[in-house]
Amino acid sequence: MLGRGIGLSKEKVEQLRYWRESTVYTDLERLVLEYTEQLATDVRIDDEMYARLQEHFTPRQILVLCTTVGVAGMINRIHGTFKTELEEFTSSRQKVQESLDKLLEK
């Protein structure tokens, strides 16, 4: 899994889908996860989120974060298009399963 390959602990990878309730993430990691979720869901972030990011990151770092989230989203769309086989950990997620079901509808 990519997360483990870049140094995330096993606990953080396993609890990612429950990041809001989990105690393994720092406040800064929670901010990044919240940003990622807001950007992926709403396509843009609100002013309050941007202000919170500015408390911790430079404009350049925010740009890198935005680019990273965007590239990850693009890669996910490629996997969706070509129906890449997913690991059990990923495919067992409800939203992933719903997306797969829609993708496989005739």
Side-chain angles (χ1 to χ4, degrees):
M1 176 176 277
L2 180 61
R4 295 286 291 142
I6 62 168
L8 288 177
S9 70
K10 181 179 178 185
E11 292 77 20
K12 285 183 179 180
V13 171
E14 289 175 347
Q15 294 185 37
L16 185 58
R17 72 175 86 171
Y18 311 109
W19 69 268
R20 288 184 186 277
E21 298 83 24
S22 175
T23 60
V24 301
Y25 298 101
T26 67
D27 289 342
L28 187 57
E29 289 169 330
R30 288 176 185 286
L31 175 63
V32 169
L33 290 168
E34 184 181 351
Y35 163 79
T36 301
E37 186 176 272
Q38 189 176 113
L39 187 62
T41 303
D42 301 337
V43 184
R44 58 178 49 208
I45 62 168
D46 57 39
D47 292 340
E48 185 267 336
M49 172 59 73
Y50 192 80
R52 289 171 52 210
L53 290 171
Q54 285 182 306
E55 293 174 12
H56 302 278
F57 301 109
T58 66
R60 181 178 176 86
Q61 289 172 320
I62 295 171
L63 177 62
V64 170
L65 178 60
C66 178
T67 303
T68 302
V69 172
V71 168
M74 180 187 67
I75 290 169
N76 288 337
R77 295 331 176 259
I78 292 168
H79 288 301
T81 298
F82 294 100
K83 301 177 186 175
T84 305
E85 197 166 318
L86 303 173
E87 298 172 339
E88 168 63 26
F89 176 80
T90 301
S91 63
S92 66
R93 296 181 63 188
Q94 181 180 349
K95 287 190 179 219
V96 172
Q97 192 57 55
E98 289 170 2
S99 294
L100 287 171
D101 290 344
K102 285 182 182 179
L103 184 63
L104 298 175
E105 285 179 356
K106 293 187 178 186

